[in-house]
Amino acid sequence: MITRTALRAACKAAKPKQTVPASARSLHASSSQSSDALFVHRDTPYNNPKIPFEFTPENMKKAEEIIARYPPQYKKAAAIPLLDLGQRQNKGWTSISVMNYIANLLEVPSMRIYEVATFYTMFNREPIGENLLQVCTTTPCALRGGYDILKACEDHLKIKPGQSTEDGKFTLLEVECLGACSSAPMFQMNDDFYEDLTPETTRKILDAFAAGQKPKAGPQSGRHTIENSAGLTALTSP
């Protein structure tokens, strides 16, 4: 009598192997990052606990105001806004020294802060450029030309996702949905959304930031918000 294990083995051996064509396109275009880069810290000359960090007097005042929003026994809930404050002071990235400082400030084990900083993608674990450019290529943006916008950024800045320009002005990332689907395609530059993009308007925005300017955020098509691009189709009469 044939056992189930033997039957499975026989079926597996008889099944022809499937090969992936060399020309098959990867589902994700961004450069891959190993889990080490995302979750494991290894000391480097620019990122180690010996490098001092502390809030400026101005930011310390902000930190105290943030902590005061929470009951004393729950002040650890201030971890995210304090990490954000520290990252902004630390030129846009969260070093091990920033994390240790926040842990001491909140009187919690450092691991509690490491857990938060490695979970949320808003915390950059490596140094970034002066301007952080995040291009959305999730379905709505992809259908509206998101990959054309990404290519325009790559060609104009001469970098790929995950890289920074030689002058240190830009870091480019390909990201998932940023929540502006009705005005796709779009990207986020630092804290602002730039929407209804074309390759031409993309290049203009990049040139403006490269020159130290800050172009007006929002839709670049003339829309004031995200109303129907064809104009009103309802409620047109008094």
Side-chain angles (χ1 to χ4, degrees):
M1 185 174 180
I2 301 177
T3 65
R4 289 187 178 182
T5 302
L7 183 59
R8 288 196 192 101
C11 291
K12 186 175 181 180
K15 187 177 180 180
K17 293 183 178 180
Q18 295 181 347
T19 58
V20 179
S23 60
R25 182 183 182 278
S26 173
L27 292 177
H28 199 275
S30 289
S31 56
S32 61
Q33 288 185 296
S34 66
S35 59
D36 285 1
L38 297 175
F39 302 116
V40 179
H41 170 79
R42 291 185 173 87
D43 286 352
T44 63
Y46 62 86
N47 188 12
N48 65 77
K50 295 181 179 179
I51 299 174
F53 176 87
E54 62 179 16
F55 281 140
T56 62
E58 180 183 0
N59 280 343
M60 190 64 210
K61 184 178 179 181
K62 292 180 181 178
E64 290 171 349
E65 292 173 352
I66 291 171
I67 295 173
R69 299 171 189 168
Y70 304 93
Q73 69 272 32
Y74 296 120
K75 64 180 181 180
K76 64 182 179 181
I80 291 178
L82 290 185
L83 279 169
D84 180 64
L85 186 63
Q87 177 167 273
R88 291 174 187 274
Q89 180 179 313
N90 198 47
K91 297 183 179 180
W93 70 290
T94 301
S95 66
I96 191 71
S97 296
V98 171
M99 290 185 269
N100 289 339
Y101 178 78
I102 300 301
N104 290 331
L105 191 62
L106 295 177
E107 300 178 297
V108 298
S110 296
M111 182 55 66
R112 296 301 182 207
I113 303 302
Y114 301 161
E115 289 169 346
V116 175
T118 56
F119 182 81
Y120 292 100
T121 58
M122 64 183 282
F123 298 118
N124 304 306
R125 298 284 309 289
E126 290 291 326
I128 62 169
E130 180 182 338
N131 298 292
L132 179 60
L133 172 57
Q134 302 178 76
V135 183
C136 177
T137 56
T138 309
T139 306
C141 279
L143 292 174
R144 295 280 295 164
Y147 283 106
D148 294 334
I149 302 306
L150 179 61
K151 187 176 188 307
C153 293
E154 292 176 342
D155 293 345
H156 201 64
L157 299 176
K158 295 178 173 57
I159 56 175
K160 296 293 184 181
Q163 299 177 346
S164 298
T165 55
E166 292 184 359
D167 60 8
K169 288 191 175 182
F170 296 94
T171 294
L172 175 63
L173 297 177
E174 180 184 2
V175 299
E176 298 302 320
C177 185
L178 290 170
C181 306
S182 56
S183 49
M186 58 81 64
F187 61 58
Q188 180 177 341
M189 182 75 83
N190 303 323
D191 291 330
D192 295 314
F193 281 6
Y194 291 85
E195 305 149 280
D196 288 338
L197 295 171
T198 64
E200 292 73 23
T201 56
T202 294
R203 288 187 283 267
K204 289 180 180 179
I205 293 169
L206 296 179
D207 286 340
F209 274 99
Q213 303 168 3
K214 184 179 178 181
K216 184 179 178 181
Q220 304 297 303
S221 60
R223 290 199 286 178
H224 295 294
T225 53
I226 51 172
E227 71 273 12
N228 186 350
S229 60
L232 285 176
T233 57
L235 304 176
T236 56
S237 58

